[in-house]
Amino acid sequence: MEFDYILIGAGSAGCLLADRLSETGRTKVLVLEAGGSDAKFWIKVPLGYGMTFSNPKLNWNYHVAPDPGLNGRSVYWPRGRVVGGSSSINAMAYVRGLAHDFDDWDRAGATGWGWETVRKTYDRLEHHGAEKTGKAALAVTDLSSQMHPFSNRFLAAAQDMNWPVLADLNGPEREGISTYRSTVRDGFRCSSADAFLRPARRRGNVKLVTHAVVEKVIIEGGRATGVRYRVGDQQFIARALGEVILCAGAINSPKLLQISGIGPVALLKSHGIDVVQDLPQVGEGLQDHLAVTQHFEASVPTLNSRLGHPLGRVLAGLQYVLTRKGPLGVPVNQIGGFVRSDPKLNAPDLQMYCNPASYSNPPDGTPVIDRDPGFILSAQPCRPTSRGQVRITSSHPLDPPSIQPNSLATHEDQEVAVRAGKLLRALASTPTLRAVIKAAKAPDISQMDDAGMLETFRARASTVFHASCTCRMGAGPSHSVLDARLRVHGMRGLRVVDASAFPNVTSGNTNAPTMMLAMRAADLILEDGAR
């Protein structure tokens, strides 16, 4: 089989690339996805996020190595293994990030990725409003009219804190609190597969193969010429006339490079892999966001008052089936935004999440909503400075890699963790929220000193599922994996287009920046192909 482009991974980036690279109808595109169909009820329902959280049929179900910075905990890291990738199982918050995030990319060696270029790319990517468009685009929807009335208290509490209340967190002003925009269309999740892959496949020049486990990228004479993959017991070879493009995510893209012979020499040799290209930074530089969450019992109704009881769930389900609205039609994240933990800072350093429900969240099980009224407040440090690694544990493509987050490894990250706890305490102490808090669930942070705040963060904080930077763009192979056009250093016909390419993690949720990256990557790929 021969194709112009072979895309490995039908996730947030791969689906968009399939659309853009096949637009003319003259190119043949192969998309290989390790998972299966996304035609699942709980994928399509906006509040169904919790039901896919640990489903092994939809999820790689990774666990990281015991993390010293988090008291040796082995935290669960779900990653999408299904058509649509993590955009089919995420919480659907659409957040562009802050302008300085991308100017920092440019300064880190990803020349041409500054905010002005990125902003224009976002504008091309998104579709706002209810009207239909003839062009594939991502639905970015304001669901504020459907959010639970309790969420208005979060906006009022933000005003108590003197935080700006914004009309749109992705608008011209991004510092402040707002209702989160969501990737929802007509009451259903709008994943990258919904927005881009399905329209692309209707052209007839895009082939999707599901349950396809890529065993290696084939390299001949310094050029990626194809891939070897397996579906069940059958092995296949696909040839690339143009390029092989890895879109497998921040864990699986570096893993695939390494088992293909591209990565740190000592690591490859230790697993008996022939070295194709010595690139010491493959799998290095891992970054993620951590959030600490406080749970509260409420004295007034919240979402728990409906969804915490069997009859309420039945009625909410019936409402959703009949109208595509109601509690099931709105994602879990309703209110949040970017704030400064210290007014002296030059930019926001924390992202807030405020949800009108409380629930227990087993380490790798389905979340269970509480029966009694409650809510949660979460704070996430925006720009951690600690970096970890992703390294293969064998040459077998299905063996999970070792994921070492190296959380809170820097003094700066520890200080921000303490400030995150203090800001949660201040927010919970506002007159608006104090009036409706029946009790704070343990641990009680109201009287904690700095040492207690840091220890609480170490004991309770967890990933917000924003793994990135493991194949980052940069100026050269000693400090990065890719050049600013997303080409693997020293290789021809091979690129990586997903969150692993970020030079550093953006301040907010990473799904929007990943799709933006893919939109601009398509421009670069098509430009290079026309030369």
Side-chain angles (χ1 to χ4, degrees):
M1 298 184 293
E2 287 188 340
F3 298 86
D4 294 287
Y5 299 104
I6 298 176
L7 308 178
I8 302 173
S12 298
C15 290
L16 193 155
L17 280 178
D19 175 57
R20 289 292 319 283
L21 298 179
S22 66
E23 272 183 329
T24 64
R26 297 190 297 270
T27 55
K28 291 175 63 180
V29 177
L30 173 64
V31 184
L32 299 173
E33 168 55 44
S37 169
D38 60 336
K40 306 286 190 296
F41 178 78
W42 288 116
I43 285 179
K44 301 305 179 185
V45 176
L47 201 64
Y49 157 77
M51 304 302 291
T52 63
F53 186 74
S54 60
N55 186 338
K57 295 181 179 179
L58 309 175
N59 203 314
W60 286 98
N61 291 92
Y62 286 133
H63 284 78
V64 304
D67 193 345
L70 299 183
N71 289 351
R73 289 184 290 138
S74 180
V75 177
Y76 174 56
W77 277 24
R79 309 302 304 164
R81 185 180 184 179
V82 61
V83 171
S86 291
S87 78
S88 285
I89 67 168
N90 69 354
M92 287 157 281
Y94 185 86
V95 180
R96 287 182 168 191
L98 302 177
H100 73 271
D101 295 336
F102 304 100
D103 291 335
D104 286 350
W105 283 16
D106 193 273
R107 284 189 286 270
T111 307
W113 290 88
W115 171 243
E116 277 309 305
T117 300
V118 162
R119 180 185 58 78
K120 294 173 184 175
T121 307
Y122 273 128
D123 290 343
R124 294 162 49 208
L125 167 68
E126 303 161 1
H127 173 62
H128 301 263
E131 72 277 4
K132 300 293 184 182
T133 176
K135 186 175 181 181
L138 183 75
V140 179
T141 305
D142 178 4
L143 298 173
S144 56
S145 64
Q146 300 180 48
M147 292 180 178
H148 193 277
F150 189 90
S151 285
N152 290 323
R153 297 180 186 273
F154 298 133
L155 298 176
Q159 291 177 314
D160 291 345
M161 294 286 293
N162 293 316
W163 293 339
V165 174
L166 307 176
D168 182 359
L169 195 60
N170 297 314
E173 297 297 325
R174 284 176 209 75
E175 181 175 352
I177 300 296
S178 177
T179 55
Y180 276 116
R181 295 299 192 265
S182 302
T183 50
V184 172
R185 180 172 60 199
D186 298 330
F188 295 105
R189 174 191 293 273
C190 182
S191 69
S192 190
D194 297 318
F196 302 107
L197 183 59
R198 287 188 172 81
R201 291 187 69 194
R202 288 196 286 267
R203 299 189 184 107
N205 58 332
V206 174
K207 179 180 176 64
L208 170 66
V209 180
T210 57
H211 303 289
V213 176
V214 177
E215 296 180 325
K216 70 179 299 184
V217 178
I218 299 170
I219 311 291
E220 298 173 326
R223 181 179 187 85
T225 59
V227 299
R228 188 181 76 212
Y229 66 96
R230 184 176 294 275
V231 180
D233 294 332
Q234 290 186 288
Q235 190 180 79
F236 301 89
I237 299 288
R239 293 288 177 181
L241 301 174
E243 298 191 16
V244 174
I245 305 166
L246 275 61
C247 309
I251 307 304
N252 288 329
S253 281
K255 171 187 164 184
L256 183 54
L257 286 178
Q258 289 170 4
I259 64 175
S260 300
I262 302 170
V265 168
L267 175 67
L268 304 185
K269 287 185 175 180
S270 70
H271 295 294
I273 297 172
D274 292 335
V275 178
V276 173
Q277 179 74 7
D278 177 16
L279 271 183
Q281 292 301 312
V282 172
E284 301 297 306
L286 172 65
Q287 288 194 305
D288 184 32
H289 286 136
L290 294 169
V292 64
T293 299
Q294 291 298 127
H295 294 246
F296 300 88
E297 296 178 21
S299 59
V300 298
T302 68
L303 261 179
N304 301 63
S305 305
R306 289 193 67 182
L307 299 183
H309 304 272
L311 179 59
R313 289 194 291 272
V314 170
L315 294 176
L318 183 61
Q319 180 184 10
Y320 178 77
V321 168
L322 294 175
T323 68
R324 299 291 181 268
K325 294 183 179 180
L328 300 188
V330 182
V332 64
N333 292 316
Q334 295 198 1
I335 306 295
F338 297 109
V339 298
R340 304 182 200 210
S341 63
D342 185 334
K344 301 186 187 68
L345 295 173
N346 294 326
D349 62 328
L350 294 173
Q351 182 179 3
M352 308 300 293
Y353 299 91
C354 309
N355 299 335
S358 61
Y359 45 87
S360 58
N361 202 7
D364 53 358
T366 300
V368 179
I369 194 164
D370 297 337
R371 288 180 59 85
D372 297 324
F375 65 94
I376 64 174
L377 303 174
S378 298
Q380 165 194 297
C382 286
R383 292 287 300 274
T385 55
S386 301
R387 289 187 180 266
Q389 305 88 25
V390 172
R391 294 168 177 164
I392 54 172
T393 55
S394 81
S395 60
H396 194 283
L398 283 178
D399 286 346
S402 170
I403 306 169
Q404 299 171 312
N406 206 26
S407 304
L408 300 183
T410 67
H411 182 66
E412 180 180 348
D413 287 356
Q414 294 167 24
E415 288 183 331
V416 181
V418 171
R419 296 202 299 269
K422 289 181 175 179
L423 204 69
L424 285 181
R425 180 169 62 195
L427 181 58
S429 300
T430 57
T432 297
L433 291 184
R434 199 167 58 241
V436 295
I437 292 176
K438 183 177 179 181
K441 296 187 179 183
D444 183 1
I445 64 172
S446 61
Q447 303 300 320
M448 280 187 185
D449 59 13
D450 287 8
M453 285 288 190
L454 179 58
E455 179 54 32
T456 294
F457 196 98
R458 291 190 189 279
R460 299 181 58 248
S462 192
T463 176
V464 194
F465 323 119
H466 298 164
S468 54
C469 308
T470 49
C471 297
R472 63 192 183 278
M473 289 186 281
S478 61
H479 297 93
S480 62
V481 178
L482 311 173
D483 66 14
R485 300 182 78 84
L486 299 155
R487 298 173 298 201
V488 176
H489 291 308
M491 303 299 301
R492 289 172 289 126
L494 183 61
R495 300 191 206 226
V496 180
V497 180
D498 56 35
S500 70
F502 294 7
N504 41 62
V505 69
T506 55
S507 289
N509 309 70
T510 50
N511 192 43
T514 298
M515 287 188 277
M516 176 282 300
L517 180 102
M519 176 69 81
R520 177 155 160 71
D523 297 339
L524 301 176
I525 293 165
L526 293 171
E527 284 174 12
D528 291 346
R531 291 176 181 169

